[in-house]
Amino acid sequence: MFSTGFKYFLGVTVVSIAALIMSLFVLDQLAIAGVAISMLITVTALLAGIATATHDGQTTTSTPDSSGELATQSIWPLVSGVGVVLLALGLVTSSIVFFAGLIVLLGALVEWMVQSWSERASKDTNYNALARKRLLNPIEFPILAALGLGVVIYSFSRIMLTVNKTTGASLFIIFGALVLVGGVLFAIKPNMKRSIGVAICVLGALGIVAGGVASAVSGEREELVEAAAEGHFTHAECGPEASKYFDKLAEGTLSLRSSVSAIVVYQDGELIANIQGLVKPQKTLTIGRSIPTNIVFRNATEGEFRLVAHLGDKVADESTDGETHKNETCTQLVAPGAEQSLTLKISKPSSAKNAYYLYIAGAEDKKIELVVP
Amino acid sequence: MSRRQFDNWLRATIASVRVVLRKVFKPLVVVAGVSVVVAGCATNAPQDTWQPKGPNSKLIDDLQQPVFAVAGIIGLIVAVAVIYTMIKYRDRGQPIPEQIHGKPALEITLTVIPALILAVVSVFTFGAIFKLAKTDDTQMIINVTGQQWWWEYDYPAQNEFGITQPIITSGQLVMPVGTKVLLRETSRDVIHSYWIPALNGKRDAVPGRVHTLRLEADKPGIYAGQCTEFCGLSHANMRMEAVALSKEDFAKWVANQQAPYVAPAKETLAQQGEEVFLNQCVRCHQVNGLMRADGTPAIAAPDENVWSGAAPNLSHLMSRNTFAGAMFDLLSKQCRDEVWNAPSEVVGAKYLAGVTEECLNQKDLRAWLRNAPEVKPMYANPADLAVSNGKYRGMPYLALSEDDITKLVAYLITLK
């Protein structure tokens, strides 16, 4: 009388109703949750009705065969439980935990499903285990290998961040040479004991991981710490001179090319803004209040120049007697013919003329007024 | 009730429901079908996509009409064939017929014909897309910014239209007819989508990017639109209207928008309202030219109170017909109908008349000032603002007294 589909959807409906009732007590604002759960109830109730009306679309009934074999012990229910807990925990803590839970849960469910299936394949336990391996090992091994390699590579990267450049290059050479030697060894000694090969690989990996841990504890080399302190994207001194770290490795290419607010070009001693929709080059640029605005600076001269955005004067703290200093942000020194983007966000309107403007470092008369209405 | 009795009761109930469903199913299908057909006859449908009012929307319409006709005919043929097959060959217990495979000529024909149709459609589609993406013939640009849940328009200085200083407004986009207007869209918070169906298709407004959309209206009139990218709690209330004015009327509108601020007369209710505004509203809302008691300009600081960093600029508020993201009318229903239903020759004059005291929709405006989150869903409950560092998304409840509301309304009506 009651089809499987009907029971399933009825069960979901009942659980959803319970969830709706619970949410009435737990949630302050029921608007979205209430609508969502009500829709779920409606849909599952409708599906339950359809399932029973159509007898799950079955015209004949059949009873599934049973192998009669008892299931072996399995770790996957436990792992699934851990996944569910991480999932729930992630909902209230962080998305990383949530996705970790999701991965653990999905992985465990796949393992559990295949194990259950394989245990019913035959009455021969060994054959069943083989069936499971044939299905899952091609997936498990690459994943485990990738995870192991990931740990080794990450550890190696920590080592590279700690040692100086020369040592780093040497380590790379040594590491590459060792891999080559190991490969040659395995090639010329095909009958070498498997355990020896495993031992070499494991010891090597452990050595790198141990080195990585030690490097992580020791911290990054001073040069990198200084560069990070200076800031890769913000630079306090937007002068014409080159900065030790900020201007290092200024890239001549730019991924942001379309949908920008304006392309600011420095050419023939003039600074102009090309704005899509306006035919003539502009000397003023209107940008919205509190809107992240991307500008591309194109250096069409023969020298290296930096575009600076003057964003008003900032009043310093009381210790400097209210002295003001410039509030500026800038690009790196841009090579001839190269481009770089600059993102601005201005929250106050430009009530006074020339409150905000763009200019070329070292040539303050080359400017474009920024109008913030 | 025993388990057997419960089972019997449940079975009987399900059987009854099934009988009822069988009886009402056909009438329900008929009613639903008729409703859908009748809905197509609606006359008050300002967002009808099949009534283009400008060259850009006509370009889309000229493309979609034949495509719809071809697709409709094909869809009809397929539907009839499927229904015919379902009925004629339905399962009546007969043996399964012989299964055949491989009719190369038929399969190639059925692949080539749709491919050819799609190829032809794609040629015209790409042509239309490129025409709609043109920007080099632009005559006027307007910056459009989406924010939860309203649209801001700022007009950069464009001397040829008399715009000598930036104009900033919200809710209603005002543009001259017969002018190729380029909207430069962006967003302050999440992705929105700008769509005035009578004038062009949709275009997403994405934070950090500037997307362009061409608009041009053939005749003066008011054209309704709607945000079409789900953007949060009040997405459905994020509306907009494009007001197309004759060039003469547009010049008048520009002149009015650039007119200096006129403070209310002393010792009036409106002046008291200005004080309330300075105490409460100016934290977020800018009125250009408004001065504090000490003679300094009142500069709003919405970035300190609002998550997205801005609130509508209320200069010349009463020159608009809507407020709160065009969710509410500033005009009473009768006055609004007079503007919306006016012939195109006089719609400009009616619109430029703005909101008079007699036409002001006091009911909705007072309700908004009394408790904005109650009439428009917003993230404005102080208890729930931990995720936004205590900043609001939308207008909060300000606990204004009825007396203050009366003063504020008296002040706002002066912002012509």
Side-chain angles (χ1 to χ4, degrees), chain A residues 1-2 6 10 28-29 31-32 49 52-53 55 59 256 258-262 275-279 282 284-294 345 347-349 351 371 373, chain B residues 7 10-11 14 18 91 135-136 138 141 143 145 152 154 156-158 166 168 182 184 186-188 207-212 233 286 299-304 308-310 381 384:
Chain A
M1 179 67 192
F2 300 116
F6 170 76
L10 187 67
D28 292 333
Q29 291 182 332
I32 295 174
T52 189
H55 300 286
T59 51
L256 181 80
S258 64
S259 304
V260 294
S261 188
I275 301 169
Q276 192 178 15
L278 293 177
V279 179
Q282 303 292 306
T284 62
L285 174 61
T286 302
I287 65 174
R289 190 171 172 167
S290 296
I291 301 171
T293 303
N294 291 312
K345 188 175 178 184
S347 56
K348 297 282 184 288
S351 48
V371 179
Chain B
D7 285 350
L10 198 58
R11 282 194 191 103
I14 290 167
R18 202 180 285 169
D91 183 9
T135 59
D136 55 5
T138 301
I141 63 168
N143 295 321
T145 306
E152 182 178 83
D154 75 73
Q158 291 163 90
I168 185 161
L182 187 73
R184 291 162 44 82
T186 187
S187 165
R188 282 198 183 90
R209 296 179 67 85
V210 176
H211 291 173
T212 55
L233 208 52
Q286 181 74 35
I299 304 293
D303 51 300
E304 293 168 13
S308 307
N381 182 351
D384 296 335

Side-chain angles (χ1 to χ4, degrees), chain B residues 6 8 22 29 170 172 236 258 263 277 378 391 394 400 411:
Chain B
F6 176 75
N8 288 337
R22 276 182 192 152
V29 169
S170 63
Q172 288 184 314
Q258 296 185 136
F277 190 91
M378 294 179 283
K391 294 182 180 178
L400 295 171
Y411 170 63

Side-chain angles (χ1 to χ4, degrees), chain B residues 89-382:
Chain B
Y89 301 105
R90 67 185 181 277
D91 183 9
R92 283 171 293 197
Q94 74 272 42
I96 294 174
E98 184 193 352
Q99 301 296 294
I100 56 167
H101 177 71
K103 286 272 184 189
L106 184 66
E107 287 170 10
I108 290 169
T109 307
L110 291 178
T111 306
V112 168
I113 290 174
L116 280 176
I117 293 172
L118 288 176
V120 172
V121 169
S122 68
V123 168
F124 292 103
T125 304
F126 280 117
I129 288 171
F130 286 128
K131 280 179 189 165
L132 290 171
K134 267 184 77 174
T135 59
D136 55 5
D137 56 353
T138 301
Q139 292 169 300
M140 174 183 226
I141 63 168
I142 303 172
N143 295 321
V144 179
T145 306
Q147 181 175 329
Q148 290 172 322
W149 295 272
W150 56 284
W151 293 95
E152 182 178 83
Y153 306 101
D154 75 73
Y155 299 66
Q158 291 163 90
N159 291 330
E160 55 274 38
F161 291 97
I163 306 172
T164 53
Q165 55 187 334
I167 294 172
I168 185 161
T169 182
S170 63
Q172 288 184 314
L173 170 82
V174 182
M175 54 188 269
V177 290
T179 304
K180 291 179 175 59
V181 175
L182 187 73
L183 304 188
R184 291 162 44 82
E185 298 177 15
T186 187
S187 165
R188 282 198 183 90
D189 36 44
V190 298
I191 299 177
H192 302 279
S193 189
Y194 196 87
W195 192 29
I196 305 280
L199 301 182
N200 202 340
K202 305 170 185 177
R203 188 59 47 91
D204 279 5
V206 182
R209 296 179 67 85
V210 176
H211 291 173
T212 55
L213 178 70
R214 293 161 63 94
L215 287 191
E216 185 177 350
D218 291 335
K219 286 182 181 175
I222 303 179
Y223 307 102
Q226 169 77 47
C227 176
T228 52
E229 179 72 41
F230 180 71
C231 56
L233 208 52
S234 254
H235 162 65
N237 300 318
M238 190 172 170
R239 300 169 196 168
M240 60 279 216
E241 290 168 5
V243 182
L245 300 176
S246 67
K247 288 181 179 160
E248 297 74 32
D249 285 338
F250 183 74
K252 290 178 192 167
W253 179 82
V254 167
N256 183 58
Q257 297 298 310
Q258 296 185 136
Y261 175 72
V262 179
K266 288 193 170 148
E267 295 176 8
T268 58
L269 199 61
Q271 194 201 14
Q272 293 174 37
E274 188 189 54
E275 284 170 23
V276 177
F277 190 91
L278 282 165
N279 288 333
Q280 292 280 1
C281 315
V282 87
R283 277 180 287 175
C284 297
H285 294 288
Q286 181 74 35
V287 170
N288 298 343
L290 176 64
M291 308 294 272
R292 293 188 185 280
D294 60 5
T296 57
I299 304 293
D303 51 300
E304 293 168 13
N305 304 291
V306 184
W307 174 250
S308 307
N313 186 311
L314 299 185
S315 310
H316 309 288
L317 171 69
M318 292 297 156
S319 68
R320 307 166 202 167
N321 287 176
T322 63
F323 70 102
M327 181 183 177
F328 298 109
D329 292 306
L330 272 170
L331 291 170
S332 61
K333 187 175 183 314
Q334 187 190 346
C335 294
R336 180 189 182 277
D337 288 346
E338 280 178 19
V339 180
W340 272 77
N341 301 331
S344 62
E345 304 83 55
V346 294
V347 70
K350 297 253 182 199
Y351 180 74
L352 290 175
V355 183
T356 60
E357 209 156 334
E358 300 73 44
C359 278
L360 179 65
N361 174 10
Q362 290 243 7
K363 183 170 164 278
D364 285 339
L365 184 58
R366 291 183 72 90
W368 178 257
L369 295 171
R370 193 173 292 121
N371 191 351
E374 193 175 71
V375 291
K376 182 176 182 179
M378 294 179 283
Y379 303 112
N381 182 351

Side-chain angles (χ1 to χ4, degrees), chain A residues 64-76:
Chain A
D65 294 331
S66 169
S67 68
E69 284 291 310
L70 289 173
T72 55
Q73 286 182 333
S74 172
I75 195 176
W76 301 117

